[in-house]
Amino acid sequence: FNDLSSAFISLIHSMHTYSALGADVDLKGKDIGFVGDKLSFQSPTPVLVQKEKPWKWHSKAVVPDGAALLANYADNKNSGMLWDASETNKPTINLTCPRLIALPPIAVQFCAEKQCMPWELYQFISGLTTKAEPMLQALQVETLLEWCIK
């Protein structure tokens, strides 16, 4: 999940709409997901997700230049900050992408290792596609890379 006000990717799994016989009226119909995994010393943290926010696609004027994105974050002073592509003085396009996207297992593993920014995922996926990673052949890699740029 990519919240537009955050520079980091949030991994949310097991998304569903809560419903159960005799369910708490306050939770019934709410979208719920989980952050984290079940380990011997911790359980996943449930989170309520705003009703429409993750499912709507977002349009934004972006600079469709992965190299410029990576160059921006090569400078450590930009770590943890949102990319302001307007500083590149390059032409923009209107890009529409989802806020919530299903990641291939290899990308989930990468993002789960540490808190990850979209540019890091972009760099990782770009590296895999240039090696013709078999797991990515059937995926919409272009959409995933666009998602990382927005």
Side-chain angles (χ1 to χ4, degrees):
F1 181 76
N2 190 342
D3 185 342
L4 301 177
S5 63
S6 174
F8 295 94
I9 296 171
S10 298
L11 288 181
I12 300 175
H13 63 86
S14 306
M15 293 285 296
H16 64 282
T17 301
Y18 186 82
S19 64
L21 292 174
D24 183 336
V25 175
D26 290 338
L27 291 178
K28 202 170 197 173
K30 302 278 183 169
D31 290 332
I32 298 174
F34 294 88
V35 175
D37 292 321
K38 173 83 171 126
L39 303 172
S40 60
F41 55 91
Q42 79 180 41
S43 293
T45 303
V47 292
L48 286 174
V49 181
Q50 292 179 8
K51 188 69 175 163
E52 297 293 325
K53 189 173 184 177
W55 316 115
K56 286 188 176 177
W57 286 45
H58 173 74
S59 292
K60 182 178 179 183
V62 299
V63 173
D65 186 345
L69 172 74
L70 297 178
N72 176 73
Y73 287 107
D75 186 344
N76 287 338
K77 74 177 173 93
N78 295 325
S79 180
M81 299 174 62
L82 293 170
W83 180 38
D84 182 6
S86 65
E87 295 175 0
T88 66
N89 294 321
K90 293 187 175 192
T92 62
I93 63 165
N94 192 37
L95 182 65
T96 302
C97 286
R99 291 182 185 188
L100 183 68
I101 193 167
L103 295 175
I106 197 163
V108 171
Q109 182 179 358
F110 176 79
C111 292
E113 289 176 2
K114 68 175 186 77
Q115 191 172 30
C116 182
M117 293 180 65
W119 74 269
E120 293 168 306
L121 181 58
Y122 183 96
Q123 186 175 43
F124 177 72
I125 294 296
S126 294
L128 290 177
T129 57
T130 59
K131 296 175 189 171
E133 180 69 32
M135 288 182 67
L136 296 176
Q137 293 302 317
L139 299 171
Q140 296 292 332
V141 173
E142 183 178 340
T143 301
L144 182 55
L145 294 177
E146 289 175 348
W147 184 83
C148 292
I149 287 179
K150 75 155 187 64

